[in-house]
Amino acid sequence: MKILQFPLARIGLFFILGLLLYQKGFQPNGFLVFISLFVGLVVLATMHRYAKKRNVFKGFGWLVTLLAIALGLSTAAFHQDNRSRFHYSHLTEDQVPYHFQLTLYEKLKSTKKNQRYVAIIKSVNHRKSEGSILLNIRHSAQNTNIPIGSHLTVNGLLYHNKAPFNPNQFDYSGYLENQQIYGQIYTSWSELKVITTENTIWSKFSNFRTKIIDNLKKSDFNETELAVMIALLLGQQQDIDPETLKEYQLAGAVHILSVSGLHVGFIMLFINFLLKPIPNTSSNSYIKLLIIVVALWSYGVLAGLAPSVVRSVTMFSFVAVGQHLRRSINVYHSLLVSVLLILLWKPSFLFDVGFQLSYLALFFILWLQPLIADFWQPKNKITRYIWDILTVSLAAQLGTLPLSIYYFHQFPGLFFVTNVLVLPLLGIIMVVGLVAVIIGCFGIVPQLVIVPLEMMIAIQNKCIGWVASWDAFVFKNIGFTAAMLWTSYLVIIAFGLWLQKPIYKKVILTMVSVLLFQIVCLHNKWQSTNTREMIVYHQKKGTMITERKNNEVILYGNDSIQNTIAKNQTLQSYLTGNFAKLTQSEDLQHLYYFNTKKILLIDSSVTVPLHIKPDIVILVSSPKINLERYLSAYTPKQIVADGSNYKSYIRLWKATCHKAKIPFHTTHEKGFYKI
């Protein structure tokens, strides 16, 4: 791959390695890292000057590599908010009410219960503090959109991030911490007061976007079509109907609802078209470049500066500069420079799924699509157009397939059909939609624009819905481990290198990579068929226990669990993550025998077999038991309380177990319990 011969590529890879090392726990003293980096740069400059005179570069490459890793570590340390002694995570306790002073930074998609914002903390209980936090405001009749940049005082309950309460679930706390958010505030409108609203560039753009959306909503748009248009052009998916969003996901078209390279590239073409009448003099070319770059970044901020938007705007800015300098543009170089600049500015983007998928898709389109397209060169224009769409889609899907399955455990089999149907129409929707947004900046959009736009979006939604209706072609609940992820990319890259130049060495590389992937799959199969475990899950409404023998799982649960097995995401995540299948479901039992252990379940019926001395006692559905007397009589080795119990009961049981020196596990605090 020629891209690896570019020095910046190696620097970028080792810089990213430094970020990953810091995120995985290798966190040396920040001051020492900065000093080492400074000293290393001085030594590097000296070596370069000395080596240039004598034409000797021994050790130069190794030093650059170490400096790239050090730069990654120092960048991650510099952006680690909770290193500050004023960070709220050091000054607060979990599930305790506080008085906060906040500044709203970003509006997020609301949930069924709460309106959500990202906020910056200024003080906690009138004590100076800092850090980003999620603000959840309970829905009520007082619901309103608070302007971004508003300073608030809030009385609310603070919850620190916690690991998932059940196995194989998405680690939302880890995701938030990668975004430098370490907690959430829950409050109501009556406990919130807006003091002032500041006018920063960010808040002005955000509130201007809100004004455009409000003007579009005041126009006579259909709600469903308007929500899709706002997502397409302004990157705001908050108002999209969940059912519509699900259809886009199942059809493999959800990427078009996130502003990315496709959208930003179109914006750049549109601006170039508008600037075409201006003569290409030396002074005018600078003005054109300035207009293009300012317009691109203004659009990026207006679209919320999501990772995919930042990536696209940065890369196309370099393309614009290259055009201005009349130089041939190496897209790989632009891609690498944009990665480095973005991660230097905000390293947390590296762990954003959208950022990873968008860069992988673009890289594989640039690299693999020409290789695939060379297999056939159709002469007919329409056939060539469809073939180009198919090859671009295939390259993008190959590049993102392993990561998509790893994160989402599903794969849309009809993505080819989706792209052929949607992409031609999407260009027209973007043109008319952009006109609607421009008009929406100043007032109400006329029917002349609304009617054709609504019609085209409705046709697009119908196409997406039709593709999504072929449920048999959506492959769901696919188990995929991190080892499978890395080895599958090794297979794809090796295959691509072989396509470039099918020589003997590359054939061997491809075969070895396939063999490694097979070994990983066989190891996972062996592991799944040699495991025995019993799990008590955290469920607020009901009790759920699974017993796993190899890859077969027996479910024990009450009626509320038994009636919703197909929709139970906790169970499905466990089965998918462990390559297991549900073979049997039964009602809860009072006594279990597992791995030589006697396990007694006590529920609200308080049926306690007096002749059994259990090793483990599971308390469910808030039984009214005299636990102190029971512990003194039977002395079990472990007490477990699941999520179906009252918290007041759990506090009493915890104190009783502590007094009797018997281990106590509550899923409310520690999550699932595994035997």
Side-chain angles (χ1 to χ4, degrees):
M1 293 175 75
K2 292 182 180 180
I3 187 173
L4 293 178
Q5 298 171 6
F6 184 47
L8 195 59
R10 300 179 188 181
I11 292 171
L13 287 173
F14 285 106
F15 170 75
I16 290 172
L17 177 61
L19 295 178
L20 290 171
L21 286 172
Y22 192 91
Q23 195 262 349
K24 293 297 181 184
F26 180 67
Q27 300 179 355
N29 182 279
F31 179 75
L32 290 177
V33 173
F34 285 116
I35 292 296
S36 302
L37 184 62
F38 176 75
V39 172
L41 287 171
V42 173
V43 173
L44 183 68
T46 306
M47 280 183 65
H48 184 266
R49 186 172 182 180
Y50 175 79
K52 197 173 182 182
K53 287 181 178 179
R54 299 175 180 266
N55 199 25
V56 177
F57 281 81
K58 278 187 177 180
F60 189 81
W62 284 106
L63 182 58
V64 171
T65 298
L66 291 173
L67 283 175
I69 295 173
L71 181 62
L73 289 169
S74 60
T75 302
F78 180 78
H79 288 87
Q80 191 74 19
D81 290 350
N82 67 343
R83 294 176 72 252
S84 168
R85 62 189 179 93
F86 295 110
H87 195 271
Y88 65 86
S89 60
H90 307 311
L91 307 173
T92 56
E93 296 179 15
D94 189 37
Q95 300 184 40
V96 173
Y98 290 98
H99 176 78
F100 302 93
Q101 287 189 357
L102 312 169
T103 300
L104 293 190
Y105 178 75
E106 181 182 358
K107 188 178 188 301
L108 302 178
K109 187 173 183 177
S110 298
T111 62
K112 290 181 179 179
K113 294 183 178 180
N114 300 300
Q115 194 165 322
R116 302 192 306 153
Y117 295 88
V118 176
I120 310 298
I121 287 185
K122 300 300 180 183
S123 71
V124 177
N125 284 352
H126 305 289
R127 182 181 177 185
K128 180 186 174 183
S129 188
E130 58 189 43
S132 300
I133 199 163
L134 278 187
L135 175 64
N136 298 272
I137 309 169
R138 197 161 45 249
H139 289 309
S140 72
Q142 303 175 47
N143 267 16
T144 184
N145 282 323
I146 311 173
I148 299 303
S150 296
H151 296 286
L152 315 175
T153 59
V154 175
N155 293 313
L157 203 61
L158 174 67
Y159 285 82
H160 290 167
N161 293 343
K162 290 183 179 179
F165 280 177
N166 289 308
N168 304 104
Q169 287 192 317
F170 173 64
D171 187 1
Y172 188 56
S173 67
Y175 167 77
L176 288 179
E177 288 179 11
N178 285 332
Q179 310 304 315
Q180 302 301 313
I181 297 172
Y182 294 86
Q184 301 191 51
I185 299 170
Y186 287 85
T187 188
S188 62
W189 288 99
S190 60
E191 297 292 332
L192 178 151
K193 183 180 179 182
V194 179
I195 304 172
T196 58
T197 301
E198 64 180 20
N199 286 318
T200 62
I201 293 177
W202 175 258
S203 64
K204 284 180 179 178
F205 268 100
S206 183
N207 294 325
F208 182 56
R209 178 176 65 234
T210 302
K211 178 187 173 184
I212 294 172
I213 293 172
D214 287 342
N215 285 341
L216 292 172
K217 286 179 178 178
K218 289 175 185 176
S219 305
D220 195 19
F221 269 107
N222 182 284
E223 285 187 11
T224 302
E225 282 74 31
L226 177 60
V228 171
M229 192 197 79
I230 290 171
L232 282 172
L233 287 154
L234 297 175
Q236 305 300 301
Q237 299 183 14
Q238 290 92 330
D239 297 324
I240 293 185
D241 178 64
E243 193 61 34
T244 303
L245 188 60
K246 185 179 179 182
E247 287 180 350
Y248 273 79
Q249 291 169 342
L250 295 176
V254 73
H255 60 281
I256 70 173
L257 297 179
S258 302
V259 175
S260 58
L262 178 69
H263 307 73
V264 177
F266 173 79
I267 296 295
M268 184 172 170
L269 288 173
F270 186 72
I271 297 166
N272 277 325
F273 173 75
L274 294 177
L275 297 176
K276 203 170 183 180
I278 301 176
N280 286 320
T281 62
S282 178
S283 58
N284 284 348
S285 64
Y286 280 103
I287 295 171
K288 281 186 176 182
L289 175 64
L290 182 63
I291 291 171
I292 290 169
V293 172
V294 170
L296 287 178
W297 280 101
S298 298
Y299 176 71
V301 176
L302 199 63
L305 283 185
S308 58
V309 180
V310 174
R311 183 265 302 168
S312 305
V313 171
T314 304
M315 196 187 73
F316 278 104
S317 296
F318 279 103
V319 171
V321 172
Q323 289 176 339
H324 168 74
L325 296 174
R326 302 289 193 275
R327 293 180 181 176
S328 59
I329 304 160
N330 188 313
V331 286
Y332 291 121
H333 296 183
S334 299
L335 204 65
L336 283 166
V337 172
S338 69
V339 169
L340 282 173
L341 288 178
I342 290 168
L343 294 181
L344 280 168
W345 170 60
K346 196 167 183 178
S348 62
F349 275 179
L350 179 63
F351 309 104
D352 187 277
V353 181
F355 181 87
Q356 296 168 9
L357 289 172
S358 61
Y359 261 107
L360 281 170
L362 185 56
F363 172 74
F364 277 92
I365 287 170
L366 294 173
W367 178 47
L368 275 186
Q369 192 272 338
L371 301 178
I372 300 171
D374 284 344
F375 279 104
W376 183 40
Q377 296 290 338
K379 295 180 180 179
N380 183 277
K381 287 185 178 181
I382 297 175
T383 310
R384 192 185 313 130
Y385 177 72
I386 295 173
W387 175 241
D388 286 341
I389 291 176
L390 291 176
T391 54
V392 167
S393 300
L394 180 59
Q397 286 292 343
L398 280 174
T400 58
L401 177 62
L403 200 66
S404 297
I405 296 176
Y406 178 71
Y407 282 124
F408 308 117
H409 302 290
Q410 68 176 31
F411 171 66
L414 294 177
F415 66 90
F416 281 126
V417 179
T418 302
N419 287 328
V420 170
L421 291 175
V422 169
L423 287 182
L425 188 61
L426 184 64
I428 306 171
I429 292 173
M430 288 286 292
V431 173
V432 183
L434 196 58
V435 172
V437 168
I438 292 170
I439 296 171
C441 295
F442 307 101
I444 306 298
V445 182
Q447 285 293 314
L448 184 66
V449 177
I450 292 174
V451 172
L453 186 57
E454 274 189 345
M455 183 180 67
M456 287 185 290
I457 295 176
I459 293 170
Q460 177 179 285
N461 289 346
K462 287 286 185 184
C463 292
I464 295 292
W466 177 76
V467 175
S469 67
W470 294 83
D471 194 59
F473 291 94
V474 181
F475 306 101
K476 301 176 183 177
N477 300 324
I478 306 170
F480 214 67
T481 64
M484 292 172 72
L485 172 70
W486 290 108
T487 51
S488 60
Y489 270 117
L490 185 61
V491 171
I492 293 170
I493 291 170
F495 181 71
L497 291 172
W498 175 76
L499 279 180
Q500 271 187 321
K501 195 174 182 181
I503 59 176
Y504 177 73
K505 287 182 180 179
K506 292 182 180 179
V507 173
I508 295 299
L509 177 62
T510 305
M511 293 175 66
V512 169
S513 64
V514 171
L515 182 62
L516 280 174
F517 182 72
Q518 290 177 329
I519 290 170
V520 169
C521 292
L522 289 171
H523 173 73
N524 289 332
K525 186 174 179 61
W526 176 86
Q527 199 172 36
S528 67
T529 54
N530 288 274
T531 302
R532 288 173 59 87
E533 63 184 17
M534 192 172 190
I535 292 179
V536 180
Y537 294 81
H538 177 73
Q539 297 279 298
K540 292 183 179 180
K541 297 179 180 179
T543 295
M544 188 168 84
I545 300 171
T546 57
E547 182 181 343
R548 178 182 165 203
K549 295 178 182 178
N550 302 325
N551 64 341
E552 297 182 348
V553 174
I554 301 173
L555 169 69
Y556 300 98
N558 49 19
D559 291 342
S560 62
I561 299 296
Q562 297 284 353
N563 296 333
T564 57
I565 289 176
K567 297 180 181 179
N568 193 317
Q569 289 301 316
T570 300
L571 177 63
Q572 295 303 326
S573 296
Y574 176 73
L575 295 174
T576 302
N578 291 282
F579 302 91
K581 58 184 178 182
L582 183 66
T583 57
Q584 194 175 343
S585 63
E586 298 181 5
D587 292 333
L588 290 171
Q589 301 173 8
H590 285 290
L591 188 62
Y592 302 89
Y593 291 92
F594 186 80
N595 286 355
T596 71
K597 291 184 174 67
K598 290 193 289 289
I599 304 163
L600 180 66
L601 184 142
I602 302 176
D603 59 15
S604 55
S605 67
V606 199
T607 304
V608 181
L610 300 177
H611 61 285
I612 294 175
K613 186 177 180 180
D615 297 295
I616 300 170
V617 174
I618 303 173
L619 302 172
V620 305
S621 302
S622 305
K624 295 180 180 179
I625 181 175
N626 189 325
L627 190 60
E628 186 174 1
R629 185 186 303 168
Y630 182 84
L631 295 181
S632 62
Y634 295 96
T635 322
K637 296 176 183 176
Q638 176 79 54
I639 301 293
V640 179
D642 77 347
S644 66
N645 297 289
Y646 297 133
K647 289 186 179 180
S648 57
Y649 281 32
I650 291 172
R651 285 193 291 269
L652 290 173
W653 294 337
K654 185 176 181 180
T656 303
C657 289
H658 180 73
K659 184 179 177 182
K661 296 183 179 179
I662 292 176
F664 180 77
H665 182 107
T666 169
T667 62
H668 274 290
E669 295 177 1
K670 301 177 181 179
F672 67 96
Y673 180 77
K674 181 191 289 187
I675 306 168

